Amino acid sequence: MAWVLLFVAGLVEVGWVIGMKYSQGFTRPIPSILTVIGIFASVLLLERAARDLPVATAYAVWGGFGALGTAVMAMILLGEPLGLQRLAGIALIVGGIVTLKMA
């Protein structure tokens, strides 16, 4: 169950990070409120997962999954470029997450 919570925490993290872009510096009320709620929800889910997982592993996977998801969603939603260096970075993140999961 802890891994499921951590996965959901990562999804919520992606949501709030992308939400920061839509909040336009926290000047737009609805995206700003949703972003702040997402921050709290993501950290709460991380905390719950870290009760049963090593905290270093939980935090690294949460951060890695968030970075991976944010990079992909930024390319899809915000039109950020996809290049060889980005793909290599994404591959390294995925490799790190898999390694931590197996450890």
Side-chain angles (χ1 to χ4, degrees):
M1 186 64 175
W3 285 105
V4 173
L5 291 173
L6 192 57
F7 178 76
V8 174
L11 289 176
V12 175
E13 181 187 8
V14 172
W16 71 256
V17 173
I18 295 295
M20 285 194 305
K21 183 74 169 182
Y22 288 106
S23 76
Q24 296 179 354
F26 294 102
T27 60
R28 298 181 62 211
I30 299 300
S32 298
I33 291 167
L34 292 174
T35 297
V36 171
I37 290 169
I39 292 168
F40 282 109
S42 181
V43 172
L44 177 67
L45 289 165
L46 171 62
E47 183 276 326
R48 300 286 173 143
R51 290 180 184 180
D52 296 321
L53 298 171
V55 71
T57 300
Y59 181 70
V61 170
W62 176 74
F65 185 78
L68 169 68
T70 300
V72 170
M73 293 309 294
M75 288 181 247
I76 293 169
L77 296 175
L78 306 173
E80 292 188 6
L82 172 65
L84 187 57
Q85 287 179 325
R86 283 183 184 243
L87 286 174
I90 289 170
L92 288 169
I93 291 169
V94 170
I97 291 171
V98 169
T99 301
L100 284 168
K101 170 78 169 96
M102 294 181 343

